Amino acid sequence: MRRRSFIAAALVAAVPTAALAQTQAAAPAPPPAPQPIQPQNALEHAFVAALTNAEMRPVFRRQLLDGHVALALTSPQANAPPREIAIRDGVSAGLVFTSVARLEAVLGPETPRAVLTGRAALERLRGKNVVINARLAPMLTLEPEDVARYLATSVSPNSAGPAQ
């Protein structure tokens, strides 16, 4: 009798495990991880290098501020507000890309954009969250305090200044 109870208990315990395995198998797979970009400009080279080399992070910041980026906009009209995406419940972020090609790869070629210095893009997004290269690797999310710290960085003597 003990043996039957043990076998019955083992069978009852196995049923939820089998059902769980079927449920897990039927669950959708997570989206694939973004593929690392192949750097196409100085900013992207610095960005990729900064991912694994802390000494390259100040170089990336300088390249971001002084170099040109693509800021996604809500419309093609002059002075259109920056396009934002939800990054978590109740929190959105402006979209900055390290090149027009990166913006088009993620958002499509018809996406309205402004090409301007990173400093000018961050100025337009001051007080907001910013995602640099959304849905790509590497990708960087800056909180409003981070944006303020970037903007507090002194202007490089080689900088041509903000461009609109």
Side-chain angles (χ1 to χ4, degrees):
M1 183 108 161
R2 289 173 108 175
R3 184 165 191 231
R4 281 190 201 150
S5 298
F6 176 74
I7 292 173
L11 288 174
V12 169
V15 170
T17 304
L20 179 61
Q22 289 175 351
T23 302
Q24 289 175 343
Q35 293 299 312
I37 64 170
Q38 295 300 316
Q40 305 268 322
N41 58 38
L43 173 58
E44 291 176 352
H45 280 283
F47 196 14
V48 169
L51 190 63
T52 57
N53 182 348
E55 293 177 8
M56 288 299 294
R57 291 177 188 149
V59 175
F60 163 70
R61 280 188 221 100
R62 176 64 58 209
Q63 287 286 336
L64 176 66
L65 293 170
D66 293 345
H68 285 87
V69 297
L71 174 65
L73 302 175
T74 57
S75 76
Q77 297 173 351
N79 296 321
R83 182 172 173 175
E84 296 183 22
I85 60 166
I87 55 174
R88 59 183 178 274
D89 290 338
V91 179
S92 62
L95 299 170
V96 174
F97 291 88
T98 53
S99 69
V100 169
R102 302 295 175 213
L103 179 143
E104 289 180 352
V106 172
L107 301 175
E110 301 302 317
T111 302
R113 83 280 315 249
V115 176
L116 58 171
T117 65
R119 183 176 295 278
L122 292 180
E123 282 289 352
R124 287 187 66 176
L125 293 164
R126 185 184 288 270
K128 298 182 179 216
N129 293 290
V130 175
V131 177
I132 300 170
N133 281 1
R135 300 183 193 139
L136 299 171
M139 176 180 88
L140 177 64
T141 301
L142 302 174
E143 294 185 351
E145 300 81 22
D146 301 320
V147 172
R149 274 194 294 280
Y150 272 56
L151 290 171
T153 304
S154 62
V155 177
S156 167
N158 297 330
S159 175
Q164 291 293 336

